[in-house]
Amino acid sequence: FYLKYVEALDRITDASRKRSVELEKEAKDMLGVLNMWRDGVLIMDEVDMLLHPLKSELNFPIGAKHEIDFTPTRWKLPMHLIDALFYFHNKRISVGVKESNESREVLRSIAAALKEGLRTNALQSTPHLTLLNLEY
């Protein structure tokens, strides 16, 4: 995700390329998510396995770039889903969404489900949102 952000910044600042308002907006959205993650905590178990260059999913392709399937939905959808969870806590969104009654209703619906999960102890909010009841 971070490399995608750096690549977007490189494309924006490249004077030989045409300015893209959409790309600038996308980079701003990515920065919003990265800023939220900056204050987060990640605990990795079996870090030697997760970060092993031959056993993990990390790769660093070289050569000509070709669009991958479902571009850009492939990375925009997870950003929106994560942002919907953050909306529950801070009542604001960081990624651009067209303001509509439907989008606000979806965010309110997710917030209501999370609130109910906390009330029934199906979720816990400290130190971070955690599912405690698989049936929920």
Side-chain angles (χ1 to χ4, degrees), residues 29-119:
D29 291 344
M30 287 183 200
L31 180 60
V33 173
L34 286 170
N35 283 334
M36 282 191 280
W37 286 352
R38 183 183 57 210
D39 297 328
V41 175
L42 171 67
I43 298 174
M44 294 190 302
D45 191 17
E46 303 297 333
V47 71
D48 57 326
M49 181 67 81
L50 292 173
L51 299 180
H52 190 285
L54 301 177
K55 297 178 183 177
S56 71
E57 292 295 322
L58 296 174
N59 61 58
F60 302 94
I62 58 173
K65 293 183 180 184
H66 304 281
E67 284 203 2
I68 56 177
D69 294 338
F70 307 111
T71 301
T73 305
R74 186 178 192 146
W75 53 85
K76 284 186 174 183
L77 179 62
M79 289 190 315
H80 285 292
L81 294 174
I82 291 169
D83 203 32
L85 296 176
F86 285 126
Y87 175 83
F88 174 69
H89 287 289
N90 57 23
K91 300 297 184 243
R92 65 178 178 81
I93 55 174
S94 63
V95 273
V97 175
K98 288 184 179 176
E99 282 295 321
S100 70
N101 290 334
E102 184 180 13
S103 64
R104 282 190 289 273
E105 183 54 38
V106 167
L107 290 172
R108 281 193 290 268
S109 172
I110 291 170
L114 293 173
K115 187 175 182 178
E116 178 64 14
L118 292 169
R119 188 188 68 74

